[in-house]
Amino acid sequence: MSPAENIKTPCQKKPEHSTPRHIAVIMDGNGRWAKSRGQPRIMGHRKGAEAVRRIIRLCGDEGIEHLTLFAFSSENWQRPPREVKLLMELFISVLEKDIDALVENGVRLRIIGDLDRFGKRINSLIKKAEMRTACNDCMQLTIAANYGGRWDITQACRHLADKSSRGEIDPKNIDEELISSYLVSDGIPDPDLFIRTGGEKRISNFLIWQLAYCELYFTDILWPDFSKENFSDALQWFAGRERRFGKTSEQVSA
Ligand code: FPP
């Protein structure tokens, strides 16, 4: 099946009241998926890319506005050079081959992270892909690449301190909203539902500021196996959560 047929959808359904507006995902378990089949790790990442197409389609079907995927962390450079190289090649191939499908289906693409570390070729592909999808408004797909939550907060602090030292910002006016606007996720609402596959129960430096009030869902399913049914389970679990944002249950129901 071509990428265009795989990523089919958006703007089909108005979201239910209990549907998350923004889902953020740590796609863990590609390596184990491959190992359990006696295959090299990259095969797991390839299969993982198919699961990426699947979840984009499913989010579109559910009318979810934002999907953010953690594709490559600042720490992932420490993996064996061959795996890093193959992951970069996969990233390039997704940027080159899947963009038509995103354009056709009204998906806006944004890449967040410390992009300076990527070479000229990847940066130019990113720019091109973001520009081609800039007017799409059915759904936003954000891919975090060379991203780390602490890096993001640090770069925001650096910018704020710089502006403050030049007298452009009064430190008294620095509040949560202003800090959020200096994070690379500026303009994207905080995630409502976080999903981590692969059995680990941690957030691994992903969107640490933005996840403050997010509902956290962990599943043992390995990312390449994450199916429509697994996605429905996560949505159903989310629908049953009472989001109190620090209030009491009585206040929320009132
Ligand atoms: C974690 O699994 C996964 C990654 C570090 C890479 C994720 C990449 C993809 C899903 C494919 C490309 C997707 C895009 C959006 C370009 P792991 O390798 O840590 O698995 P393990 O815990 O089983 O070893």
Side-chain angles (χ1 to χ4, degrees), residues 27-32 41 45 48 71 76 79 90-91 143 223:
M27 311 176 284
D28 199 9
N30 294 348
R32 278 165 285 161
R41 292 176 59 84
H45 296 314
N76 285 153
R79 292 193 172 202
L90 190 57
F91 188 31
I143 295 181
W223 175 248

Side-chain angles (χ1 to χ4, degrees), residues 38-230:
Q39 294 175 5
R41 292 176 59 84
I42 191 63
M43 293 310 289
H45 296 314
R46 287 209 180 108
K47 204 73 186 163
E50 285 176 26
V52 165
R53 296 183 190 107
R54 186 159 61 237
I55 199 173
I56 297 170
R57 190 182 63 238
L58 292 169
C59 284
D61 289 347
E62 291 298 328
I64 282 147
E65 289 173 51
H66 287 269
L67 171 67
T68 300
L69 304 174
F70 203 3
F72 194 85
S73 76
S74 322
E75 292 75 30
N76 285 153
W77 295 106
Q78 298 166 44
R79 292 193 172 202
R82 186 172 154 71
E83 182 171 345
V84 171
K85 184 171 172 278
L86 291 167
L87 272 170
M88 288 304 132
E89 282 169 13
L90 190 57
F91 188 31
I92 289 172
S93 139
V94 166
L95 285 171
E96 284 179 337
K97 296 199 185 124
D98 288 280
I99 296 309
D100 287 346
L102 297 182
V103 172
E104 280 167 32
N105 289 286
V107 181
R108 181 176 185 175
L109 178 69
R110 184 161 153 188
I111 312 291
I112 57 168
D114 185 1
L115 304 184
D116 290 345
R117 177 105 189 240
F118 294 118
K120 263 196 192 146
R121 177 163 179 223
I122 293 191
N123 268 291
S124 121
L125 281 171
I126 289 174
K127 223 177 248 163
K128 204 164 133 196
E130 286 183 335
M131 273 168 60
R132 279 196 66 201
T133 61
C135 296
N136 293 349
D137 57 3
C138 289
M139 186 178 117
Q140 179 164 318
L141 168 66
T142 302
I143 295 181
N146 193 25
Y147 174 87
R150 288 185 177 178
W151 162 81
D152 193 10
I153 295 169
T154 307
Q155 67 79 28
C157 290
R158 202 175 292 130
H159 280 115
L160 282 165
D162 189 42
K163 288 218 163 184
S164 172
S165 70
R166 284 192 273 119
E168 291 168 23
I169 286 178
D170 183 341
K172 284 203 289 291
N173 294 332
I174 298 178
D175 57 13
E176 291 182 13
E177 203 182 324
L178 189 68
I179 294 174
S180 291
S181 74
Y182 277 78
L183 297 174
V184 286
S185 54
D186 179 33
I188 304 173
D190 287 346
D192 303 294
L193 171 61
F194 162 95
I195 299 173
R196 182 176 186 143
T197 60
E200 307 289 358
K201 292 184 176 61
R202 51 178 175 254
I203 57 174
S204 299
N205 201 15
F206 184 39
L207 300 172
I208 49 178
W209 171 280
Q210 299 86 337
L211 290 176
Y213 278 100
C214 190
E215 299 297 327
L216 308 178
Y217 181 84
F218 298 95
T219 168
D220 289 339
I221 303 288
L222 303 177
W223 175 248
D225 289 330
F226 193 71
S227 65
K228 184 177 177 178
E229 289 68 37
N230 302 140

Side-chain angles (χ1 to χ4, degrees), residues 235-246:
L235 289 187
Q236 213 169 356
W237 174 85
F238 177 82
R241 302 295 304 155
E242 181 185 60
R243 304 194 73 200
R244 293 198 290 275
F245 296 98

